[in-house]
Amino acid sequence: MRISAKGRYALAALVEVARQTQKRAVVSVVSIAERLGISKIFLEQIALLLKKGGLLQSTKGAKGGYQLAREANKISAFHVLSIVENTLLEKTDNTVLEASPTTEAALREKVFNPLDKAVEACLSRITLQELLEYADLQNNEQAFMLNI
């Protein structure tokens, strides 16, 4: 399985937005792009998709930017990726349906459907809050190691 740059950046950006939302701050695309070292233009496109998908809310103006539209523990990795990834969560195309419907049925029932369900279940269990907490833990451990 391969998650595109758009999906990876969406998850990373939302971790940063979640961090700022906890502080009740609004975060700009520019500050996220600088912090993560990614393209501001690409990140703006991703933010618009996430806003359209109901995960971000925006504030206009000089001090404008984005905040989470709901709590971080209510946003799953599956939800994020389903908004920004075009092909990751699509059902697998038929392989040999016309030539061998029984083989197609076997592939669908024993490989493709279970795989789709497993990916969805795995990504649905991971929340943005968990990602934020893990990232913060890693930051704390790294800071501790630097002080030794």
Side-chain angles (χ1 to χ4, degrees):
M1 182 174 91
R2 184 174 173 98
I3 297 174
S4 72
K6 189 184 292 184
R8 296 189 316 269
Y9 290 160
L11 287 167
L14 283 174
V15 169
E16 291 304 314
V17 174
R19 182 174 283 118
Q20 297 305 315
T21 299
Q22 283 183 333
K23 301 172 188 174
R24 303 206 187 283
V26 176
V27 61
S28 71
V29 169
V30 172
S31 67
I32 297 169
E34 288 173 356
R35 178 156 168 81
L36 298 177
I38 58 180
S39 163
K40 174 196 164 296
I41 294 168
F42 190 42
L43 189 56
E44 186 63 48
Q45 294 170 358
I46 293 167
L48 290 174
L49 289 172
L50 294 170
K51 181 180 175 188
K52 227 186 242 188
L55 298 184
L56 289 177
Q57 58 188 21
S58 63
T59 304
K60 296 187 186 257
K63 297 195 182 211
Y66 292 97
Q67 287 184 310
L68 293 181
R70 60 179 97 157
E71 296 174 24
N73 65 354
K74 304 269 194 273
I75 299 173
S76 72
F78 178 78
H79 195 183
V80 175
L81 294 175
S82 68
I83 290 170
V84 298
E85 290 286 346
N86 296 330
T87 59
L88 177 69
L89 306 170
E90 287 180 358
K91 298 297 179 197
T92 304
D93 291 337
N94 290 329
T95 307
V96 291
L97 181 61
E98 290 183 25
S100 182
T102 56
T103 298
E104 183 66 35
L107 292 173
R108 179 118 352 249
E109 289 305 311
K110 296 297 181 182
V111 179
F112 306 140
N113 290 347
L115 182 60
D116 289 342
K117 288 176 185 172
V119 168
E120 183 175 347
C122 176
L123 293 174
S124 293
R125 285 190 301 266
I126 303 166
T127 67
L128 196 54
Q129 184 66 39
E130 289 177 72
L131 294 173
L132 174 60
E133 289 170 2
Y134 188 83
D136 286 346
L137 179 65
Q138 296 302 306
N139 281 336
N140 291 339
E141 287 178 6
Q142 186 177 18
F144 177 75
M145 294 302 288
L146 290 174
N147 288 328
I148 293 179

